[in-house]
Structures are given as structure tokens and as C-alpha cells.
């Protein structure tokens, strides 16, 4: 039946599917406002969606909302990498399911792809402010169950992780999405577990980057690469994300620019800006004072 409907209606059905998967619910007015259609057209779209996937949604009369059911199975295919990119840029259309224009641009290779259904459960938890119990495999403690309160999904340039309050350590931490095996809803989030209390997430620091003083023969090339002004580039970054950025760009964070090798093209001039910042074990050459 999907092949017999218009492209515009297929877009709206994909949006319903997307919202049920990642938000857990939506109402008719969401569809009407998103696509600027009439209420009657929105009703027809929901009726058609129910005809195509009757077990995917249930209607709550009091809240006047459609909710995802336990038997939910996506009507459309939501590609993991493209969906994560759209979530990161606040694009919630679900159009991957019906094809986008293909441009001659080659993306970076990805060694890992998170499970899109687990990601959807994490996203629902962040939007609806509840804790989740996850089965997680870490490098230091292996496989175990943790209860976390997520507030953001983050692309650190190498992989996706979730920023969350960890009830075991009673602190905010990063959990790699591909290391999560199972997600189940737990209790409601408490006020001190919310993003407003994540001080490293909310604190912004400025990194002063310049061409490496000893590894680079022609610093003008690096200045062009990074759009530097007067031989330096200033980058504002969340304190919680600083270590990832410095590792991804191979920034020499040693005090005297002592790291050797062609991969170290940048040097951090103001390493003091990293004080009181965690997750710096991955910052090349950094040793806390």
C-alpha cells in the first residue's frame, strides 16, 4: 500500500513512525504543525498508519495522544548513522525511510554503528526525563547492570555516547552506545540527576590552538587548514568534551610541545584552561599539575 500513496503522505507517515520510535508518542497537532496540513488530513494519516501497522500505537483519550505500544515494529527503515546525524541536528523527519537525494559526497568510514532501537529507548529517556537500567560492558569492570539518567546523545568524532548521571558512582559520566546491550525503563529522574547539575557539561572552556612549533616546517599550511587568525585558533568547547576534541585532532597538550611525530600538527598554547576538567587521560601529552 505504501507504493500507492503520494510522496507527501509517505513523508507524514514516516514522521509518525519516527516520533513513535524515538519520542514514544505524538498527537495529531504535532503532525498538523510540522507539515502545515489540515486536521482532517492529519486524521486520515493516522488512520492510514493504523491500517498499515495496527499494533504500533494506542490512543490515550485523556491525553489525546498516540503512544508507542510494546509490540511496536517500525513501519519504515531508519538508518542508524543518518538518523543519529539528524537527531544531532534536531531534524526529526524520518525521511530516510523513503529516500533522500544522493549527493556526490563521501562520508567518513565508521567502524561501529549503534543499535538504533536501543538508541531510541535512550532518546525517549532523555526527552521524558526518566532513568533507565542498562546492561553495559566497560573496559574496567566488564559486563554489569547500571542505572543511569541520560540527558544528551553525543558524537565525539569517533563514536557515539550518552552523557548521563550514573547512580552507582553518583556522578555524570559518558557511556558508549555500542557497549549497551539492553535498555529498560526504571524510575523517574530526580532533580539533582538532571543536566542543570552536570557542571562539566555546562561549563565552556576556550582552547587556544597553534601550529606545532617543532613538528611543522610550514605553519601557514596548518593556519589555512584550521582558519587561524594571527597564527592561532580559539575553539570553545564543553569541558566534558575537551578531551575528545584534543584526541581527535591529535593536539599536543604537553607543556613544552615535546611530542614528536607528523600526526601532531597542533599544540595547545593555554593548557592551564584544562584545570579542573576530567577525562583528560586521552588528551595527548597532558599531565595534570
Amino acid at each position: 500500500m505504501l507504493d500507492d500513496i503520494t510522496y507527501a503522505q509517505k513523508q507524514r507517515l514516516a514522521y509518525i513512525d519516527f516520533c513513535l520510535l524515538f519520542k514514544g508518542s505524538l498527537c495529531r497537532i504535532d503532525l498538523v504543525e510540522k507539515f502545515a496540513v489540515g486536521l482532517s488530513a492529519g486524521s486520515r494519516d493516522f488512520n492510514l498508519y493504523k491500517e498499515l501497522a495496527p499494533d504500533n500505537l494506542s490512543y490515550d483519550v485523556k491525553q489525546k495522544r498516540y503512544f508507542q505500544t510494546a509490540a511496536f515494529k517500525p513501519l519504515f527503515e531508519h538508518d542508524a548513522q543518518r538518523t543519529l546525524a539528524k537527531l544531532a541536528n534536531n531534524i526529526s523527519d524520518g525521511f530516510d525511510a523513503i529516500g533522500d537525494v544522493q549527493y556526490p559526497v563521501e562520508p567518513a568510514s565508521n567502524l561501529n554503528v549503534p543499535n538504533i532501537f536501543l538508541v531510541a529507548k535512550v532518546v525517549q529517556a532523555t526527552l521524558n526525563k526518566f532513568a533507565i537500567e542498562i546492561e553495559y560492558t566497560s573496559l574496567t569492570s566488564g559486563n554489569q547492570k547500571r542505572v543511569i539518567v541520560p540527558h544528551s546523545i553525543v558524537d565525539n568524532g569517533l563514536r557515539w555516547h550518552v552523557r548521563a548521571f550514573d547512580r552507582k558512582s553518583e556522578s555524570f559520566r559518558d557511556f558508549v552506545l555500542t557497549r549497551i546491550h539492553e535498555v529498560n525503563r526504571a524510575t523517574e529522574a530526580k532533580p539533582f540527576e538532571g543536566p542543570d547539575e552536570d557542571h562539566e557539561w555546562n561549563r565552556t572552556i576556550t582552547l587556544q590552538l597553534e601550529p606545532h612549533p617543532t613538528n611543522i616546517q610550514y605553519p601557514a599550511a596548518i593556519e589555512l587548514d584550521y582558519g587561524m587568525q594571527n597564527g592561532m585558533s580559539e575553539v570553545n568547547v564543553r569541558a566534558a568534551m575537551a578531551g575528545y576534541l584534543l584526541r581527535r585532532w591529535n593536539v599536543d597538550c604537553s607543556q613544552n610541545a615535546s611530542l614528536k611525530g607528523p600526526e601532531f600538527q597542533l599544540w595547545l598554547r593555554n593548557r592551564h584552561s584544562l584545570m579542573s576538567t576530567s577525562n583528560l587521560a586521552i588528551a595527548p601529552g597532558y599531565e595534570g599539575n
Side-chain angles (χ1 to χ4, degrees):
M1 188 179 293
L2 283 174
D3 294 332
D4 299 327
I5 63 177
T6 66
Y7 180 81
Q9 190 171 32
K10 197 179 294 186
Q11 288 179 320
R12 298 195 295 272
L13 292 178
Y15 177 75
I16 293 173
D17 201 54
F18 186 97
C19 288
L20 288 172
L21 177 59
F22 288 96
K23 295 182 180 179
S25 70
L26 80 160
C27 58
R28 187 173 55 168
I29 195 65
D30 295 332
L31 191 70
V32 169
E33 292 181 349
K34 174 73 176 180
F35 294 97
V37 296
L39 288 173
S40 58
S43 296
R44 286 195 298 270
D45 291 333
F46 275 103
N47 289 333
L48 178 56
Y49 186 90
K50 285 189 288 185
E51 184 179 348
L52 294 169
D55 297 328
N56 274 8
L57 72 171
S58 62
Y59 186 70
D60 187 297
V61 178
K62 290 184 178 181
Q63 299 187 57
K64 296 183 179 180
R65 294 186 70 83
Y66 291 91
F67 286 86
Q68 179 198 97
T69 65
F72 178 86
K73 292 183 180 179
L75 182 60
F76 295 90
E77 180 181 350
H78 302 278
D79 177 82
Q81 289 292 346
R82 297 173 71 183
T83 298
L84 283 167
K86 289 190 174 187
L87 288 171
N89 291 281
N90 198 29
I91 305 172
S92 56
D93 50 29
F95 292 173
D96 289 341
I98 53 180
D100 288 333
V101 176
Q102 298 296 315
Y103 295 97
V105 178
E106 185 67 22
S109 299
N110 293 288
L111 296 179
N112 57 359
V113 180
N115 182 306
I116 198 67
F117 299 108
L118 295 182
V119 171
K121 291 182 178 180
V122 175
V123 171
Q124 284 191 37
T126 64
L127 293 176
N128 297 298
K129 298 179 174 57
F130 59 81
I132 51 177
E133 182 183 69
I134 62 173
E135 188 172 326
Y136 188 77
T137 302
S138 73
L139 290 173
T140 55
S141 53
N143 193 60
Q144 59 180 217
K145 290 186 181 297
R146 307 286 280 266
V147 178
I148 65 172
V149 183
H151 69 68
S152 299
I153 307 291
V154 183
D155 177 10
N156 66 21
L158 296 175
R159 57 194 179 190
W160 291 88
H161 69 258
V162 55
R163 183 74 176 176
F165 182 83
D166 174 31
R167 287 184 174 173
K168 181 179 179 180
S169 64
E170 298 185 338
S171 63
F172 288 93
R173 296 193 172 191
D174 301 335
F175 295 88
V176 181
L177 283 176
T178 50
R179 296 178 186 171
I180 298 176
H181 312 295
E182 186 177 340
V183 177
N184 292 297
R185 180 166 180 162
T187 59
E188 298 298 318
K190 301 172 184 177
F192 64 86
E193 298 172 330
D196 290 344
E197 299 301 316
D198 189 349
H199 302 302
E200 280 200 86
W201 178 260
N202 294 310
R203 180 166 61 91
T204 300
I205 60 178
T206 300
L207 305 177
Q208 296 178 342
L209 308 178
E210 64 178 48
H212 200 282
T214 59
N215 293 338
I216 300 300
Q217 185 175 2
Y218 300 105
I222 302 303
E223 293 173 14
L224 290 170
D225 283 348
Y226 296 95
M228 294 182 177
Q229 299 293 327
N230 300 318
M232 186 184 72
S233 178
E234 290 192 340
V235 180
N236 295 319
V237 62
R238 296 182 186 275
M241 296 290 291
Y244 297 116
L245 182 147
L246 294 166
R247 180 180 65 171
R248 185 171 78 249
W249 290 353
N250 286 322
V251 179
D252 183 349
C253 302
S254 63
Q255 188 160 359
N256 299 312
S258 58
L259 296 185
K260 304 299 180 184
E263 70 272 26
F264 300 112
Q265 299 179 345
L266 297 170
W267 178 57
L268 178 63
R269 175 188 292 182
N270 62 332
R271 65 191 304 275
H272 62 272
S273 64
L274 300 179
M275 293 181 64
S276 302
T277 301
S278 61
N279 199 27
L280 292 178
I282 59 177
Y286 181 80
E287 294 182 1
N289 294 326

